[in-house]
Every structure is written in C-alpha cells, then in structure tokens.
Amino acid sequence: MTENTHHDTSRRSPLLEAAREELSKFERKENEFRKKDREERAAELHLPLDAIKVH
C-alpha cells in the first residue's frame, strides 16, 4: 500500500507543479490586463491615476 501511495504522489507532483506554473502565468497576465484596463479607463475619464493609490 505504501508503494502505491508513493507512486501516485510522485506521478502527481509534476502535474501539480505544472498546474501551479500555469496559475502563476494566468495571474500575471490577469494583473497586467487589469492594470492596462485601469489606465485606459482613467485616461478616458481624465483621471490622474498617478495621484491615486492603486493596489
């Protein structure tokens, strides 16, 4: 039983790492998109985005 558990864990580990990498990539792209979107909307509304603290 221990062998089976170890084998399953070692097989899932690369998949888990790949999923984490994909999630990180997605989060970076999403953050970049949101930043760009905020800047575009601020420009349309003529808001001073630099003066406003944005997360």
Side-chain angles (χ1 to χ4, degrees), residues 41-55:
R41 285 186 285 132
E44 288 175 7
L45 298 172
H46 306 290
L47 296 175
L49 191 58
D50 295 333
I52 301 171
K53 299 276 183 180
V54 181
H55 309 284

Side-chain angles (χ1 to χ4, degrees), residues 28-39:
R28 278 192 295 275
K29 284 184 178 182
E30 181 68 16
N31 288 340
E32 290 172 12
F33 172 79
R34 287 182 181 196
K35 181 180 178 184
K36 184 178 177 184
D37 186 52
R38 257 193 318 268
E39 291 170 352

Side-chain angles (χ1 to χ4, degrees), residues 5-21:
T5 305
H6 178 68
H7 185 263
D8 289 344
T9 303
S10 65
R11 192 172 64 198
R12 279 184 289 194
S13 186
L15 295 176
L16 183 59
E17 186 60 32
R20 287 181 178 155
E21 286 179 27

